Amino acid sequence: MPTLKTKIHEYRKEMHLQQAELAEMVGVRRETIGKLENGKYNPSLKLAMDIANVFGKSVEEVFEFPEK
């Protein structure tokens, strides 16, 4: 499975959020946020939507889906 690119780190820093704070807001462990930021984990649709909602962005603005 191709790795997913995200802007989570960029948006998190803009909001002055730690990984643990974002993780708590969306109901996952801090490690999950780290793996998402490093492209080592593909989120469920619900998690992707929850993260996008925290940032006030669309899923497409936060996650870059690789071309086939």
Side-chain angles (χ1 to χ4, degrees), residues 13-66:
K13 290 297 183 185
E14 285 177 8
M15 291 183 68
H16 306 286
L17 289 173
Q18 297 294 319
Q19 285 182 344
E21 292 171 313
L22 176 58
E24 186 174 327
M25 293 170 84
V26 298
V28 298
R29 297 173 60 206
R30 183 202 56 78
E31 291 83 2
T32 302
I33 300 299
K35 287 179 182 179
L36 283 166
E37 289 184 356
N38 292 318
K40 295 184 174 158
Y41 179 77
N42 286 335
S44 67
L45 179 56
K46 181 182 181 332
L47 179 55
M49 291 175 74
D50 288 346
I51 290 171
N53 285 336
V54 167
F55 298 137
K57 306 283 184 187
S58 69
V59 171
E60 293 85 356
E61 289 174 293
V62 179
F63 298 92
E64 182 181 314
F65 297 93

Side-chain angles (χ1 to χ4, degrees), residues 4-21:
L4 188 66
K5 294 185 180 180
T6 77
K7 292 186 177 179
I8 294 172
H9 180 81
E10 176 184 326
Y11 292 143
R12 187 172 58 75
K13 290 297 183 185
E14 285 177 8
M15 291 183 68
H16 306 286
L17 289 173
Q18 297 294 319
Q19 285 182 344
E21 292 171 313

